[in-house]
Amino acid sequence: MGIRLNIYIFLVIMTTLRLHFVTAATSGDSCLTPSAMPGSCINLEECRYLYELVLDPNLSQNDRRYLRSSQCGYKNGKVLICCPPNYRKLSATTTPRPSPADTAMVFPESVALKTTATSISSGVNIKANNSQLLPNFPQCGNMLENRIYGGTETAIDEFPWLALFEYTNRNGGKGFHCGGVLINDRYVLTAAHCVFEKDIPFGWRLTSIRLGEWDTRTDPDCTADGCAPKYRSNSIERITTHPGYGKHNDPNDIALVRLTASVPFSDYIKPICLPRSPSLRNATFLNYVMDAAGWGKTEKTNNNPVKLKTTIKIKDFSGCVDKYSVLYNIPLESSQLCAGGDGGSDTCSGDSGGPLMFQDIVNGKPVYFAAGIVSFGPSLCGVADWPAIYTRVGAFIDWIERNIEP
């Protein structure tokens, strides 16, 4: 029986991880997982969660892709895997699935951030106001199996919470010039400068919001694997901008758009989670790598018809304060995040007003939440040593809860 089990494990490992063997790494080296979480390059058997996944006879295609992308070397006949600290002891087979009681809780404490996040003090009561109107995992922040690791074009159902803003001018012409993120069945979160009249080009107004969109040239959107439902065009009932926002580059660059009707969720339309627990709400995410996605639009330019994505690293905030205050005379506040500036990779691949997304582990499952909203940056995006600025969503949870309604 032992010999048969060892043969089974060997075959599963080889068929699951056969795609690529990178240069052999020294056991214990630092690495980044496919979801951009810091980890250590160790023997597969030492990473309990991923090792148990390999042994699962019903392993999903998504898990197989994740395991392939997690491989960081091959040493002494053994596979090395990039293992996050919490995966060493976490069980893939005994970790309980969310119970009905779990779904009534405010977003659970982050596993990844309990010991690593840099926080600022806060005495906020996260159960106040209309927090019950915001979804909790697993009703938010989860995707199907086919997330693409690497590359710039998204899968047809990847990041199903992204919203595309459609504007109309006085002559009836239409254009897509901003984005946002769905946070429940009636509200889209975005940047204030995308909906503030003085910031929108003269003669244009926001008239609808698309959900479930992927390629703006086709409807429905199709790939070799099949077609998605037609996108949903949503009318707007009300726009609420933060009262502290007055002009572009202001720190309170955040707004809520209420849709006229409730949005039915599907594999292609679902909300993202918000950072509502204390550790996530106050985190500054220094050196974390996050996802940004969208159609490459800003409030003044048009670029890509297909939804794109990129990864962006959070930078030291004090360095951004020095850059923007000295050269541009733009004051920054702790309610903002500073990210990117590595050259060639920035929110050119996303949308002004779109989300900066972080993947965390909740109850043993990957969950996405909105850490930031694209606010502003240098006139040329993707410029080396010039990070862009994002509204830090966690700083505005109270305001969001006060301004949403059933």
Side-chain angles (χ1 to χ4, degrees):
M1 178 65 180
I3 294 175
R4 188 176 299 172
L5 177 61
N6 287 336
I7 293 173
Y8 170 76
I9 293 172
F10 175 79
L11 290 174
V12 171
I13 290 173
M14 296 308 295
T15 56
T16 301
L17 301 176
R18 68 179 183 270
L19 282 190
H20 59 277
F21 289 106
V22 297
T23 303
T26 302
S27 181
D29 280 357
S30 297
C31 58
L32 285 178
T33 70
S35 53
M37 294 173 63
S40 298
C41 188
I42 60 176
N43 289 334
L44 175 61
E45 293 89 342
E46 298 175 46
C47 189
R48 180 180 180 185
Y49 188 85
L50 296 183
Y51 184 63
E52 290 181 358
L53 282 183
V54 169
L55 300 181
D56 185 355
N58 299 313
L59 194 65
S60 71
Q61 289 300 314
N62 186 54
D63 288 336
R64 289 182 185 274
R65 279 191 291 268
Y66 185 90
L67 285 166
R68 292 182 190 125
S69 301
S70 294
Q71 186 184 349
C72 55
Y74 189 70
K75 184 179 180 182
N76 298 329
K78 291 190 174 183
V79 171
L80 299 180
I81 207 87
C82 189
C83 184
N86 54 301
Y87 273 17
R88 287 182 179 244
K89 295 183 179 180
L90 185 68
S91 173
T93 58
T94 61
T95 301
R97 295 183 179 274
S99 64
D102 291 330
T103 61
M105 295 171 59
V106 172
F107 198 98
E109 289 288 326
S110 163
V111 174
L113 296 180
K114 277 184 178 178
T115 59
T116 58
T118 303
S119 298
I120 57 176
S121 61
S122 174
V124 189
N125 176 9
I126 62 174
K127 293 185 179 180
N129 308 315
N130 291 319
S131 60
Q132 75 279 1
L133 299 179
L134 294 170
N136 302 291
F137 177 76
Q139 283 76 36
C140 62
N142 63 85
M143 295 193 299
L144 284 181
E145 300 181 347
N146 52 358
R147 180 171 191 263
I148 296 174
Y149 295 108
T152 57
E153 189 172 297
T154 65
I156 195 170
D157 57 355
E158 196 170 2
F159 307 123
W161 35 80
L162 258 63
L164 182 60
F165 285 24
E166 186 172 41
Y167 297 77
T168 305
N169 64 22
R170 292 181 173 182
N171 299 321
K174 296 184 180 295
F176 307 110
H177 304 299
C178 262
V181 61
L182 188 68
I183 61 171
N184 73 3
D185 64 337
R186 290 295 294 272
Y187 283 90
V188 172
L189 188 67
T190 188
H193 73 261
C194 286
V195 295
F196 196 61
E197 185 176 1
K198 293 181 180 179
D199 288 325
I200 298 175
F202 179 75
W204 290 83
R205 61 189 181 90
L206 177 63
T207 49
S208 66
I209 294 178
R210 286 190 184 183
L211 296 169
E213 179 63 284
W214 182 61
D215 187 338
T216 59
R217 299 167 299 187
T218 58
D219 188 31
D221 296 326
C222 298
T223 66
D225 295 326
C227 295
K230 290 189 174 185
Y231 70 80
R232 180 183 174 91
S233 183
N234 300 273
S235 300
I236 297 160
E237 179 179 307
R238 182 171 66 251
I239 296 173
T240 305
T241 58
H242 193 281
Y245 180 84
K247 64 182 187 305
H248 199 21
N249 301 342
D250 273 1
N252 301 304
D253 191 8
I254 192 167
L256 287 164
V257 181
R258 180 175 169 87
L259 307 177
T260 55
S262 176
V263 176
F265 297 153
S266 69
D267 292 336
Y268 302 89
I269 300 176
K270 59 181 68 173
I272 198 169
C273 294
L274 295 184
R276 299 162 61 201
S277 70
S279 61
L280 294 179
R281 175 191 288 241
N282 299 318
T284 56
F285 304 107
L286 178 62
N287 292 326
Y288 275 75
V289 178
M290 301 204 176
D291 288 303
W295 290 263
K297 317 295 184 186
T298 69
E299 66 275 16
K300 295 181 180 178
T301 61
N302 296 318
N303 289 312
N304 302 290
V306 179
K307 189 195 301 182
L308 303 178
K309 65 179 178 180
T310 189
T311 54
I312 302 173
K313 186 176 182 179
I314 302 294
K315 297 301 179 65
D316 177 57
F317 191 69
S318 61
C320 281
V321 170
D322 293 340
K323 280 182 177 291
Y324 279 92
S325 62
V326 172
L327 293 181
Y328 287 108
N329 196 29
I330 298 174
L332 302 181
E333 297 184 1
S334 61
S335 60
Q336 295 167 302
L337 291 171
C338 170
D342 294 321
S345 177
D346 215 322
T347 43
C348 301
S349 298
D351 284 309
S352 196
L356 187 63
M357 300 169 283
F358 177 74
Q359 191 180 52
D360 198 10
I361 302 299
V362 178
N363 296 326
K365 301 296 181 182
V367 180
Y368 275 94
F369 67 87
I373 296 293
V374 181
S375 184
F376 66 91
S379 55
L380 295 174
C381 61
V383 177
D385 299 323
W386 270 103
I389 304 302
Y390 301 77
T391 303
R392 186 169 63 82
V393 175
F396 295 92
I397 296 299
D398 280 351
W399 178 80
I400 292 170
E401 292 178 349
R402 284 197 302 268
N403 285 277
I404 57 175
E405 299 175 356

